[in-house]
Amino acid sequence: MRPARSLDVLRTGPSLAGATVVDFARGKRYYVLRDTDGRPLTTTGLSTLRAGESVHVFMQFPAPPASTTTVGFQLPLFDTANIKVSG
């Protein structure tokens, strides 16, 4: 498996590949996973949304340790959203 490169991500078009999940208690940041060709495992081909519009999206991250109860979801240009983790 070769390492993911920024150009691989750019080739997928507009996506959520810049999203991260942060385990603040452990100081660990998790990035969107990539497939064996370096493409992000997230919704791609997104377009601009107008006020009031919504879209369902998918992002896959590595699992934090089982003892983690809260993570911060970060998307460039947006405030961090705290998410409770269970299971």
Side-chain angles (χ1 to χ4, degrees), residues 8-24:
D8 293 328
V9 173
L10 290 175
R11 285 187 193 105
T12 64
S15 74
L16 299 169
T20 59
V21 171
V22 182
D23 181 346
F24 291 110

Side-chain angles (χ1 to χ4, degrees), residues 3-70:
R5 297 181 300 212
S6 295
L7 289 178
D8 293 328
V9 173
L10 290 175
R11 285 187 193 105
T12 64
S15 74
L16 299 169
T20 59
V21 171
V22 182
D23 181 346
F24 291 110
R26 290 177 179 74
K28 177 84 173 156
R29 180 178 307 272
Y30 300 93
Y31 294 89
V32 171
L33 291 171
R34 311 276 187 234
D35 67 13
T36 56
D37 292 322
R39 295 177 299 229
L41 297 178
T42 181
T43 303
T44 60
L46 296 171
S47 60
T48 303
L49 296 176
R50 293 190 174 121
E53 289 183 321
S54 63
V55 64
H56 293 274
V57 297
F58 167 82
M59 289 165 269
Q60 186 170 346
F61 296 93
S67 59
T68 299
T69 58
T70 304

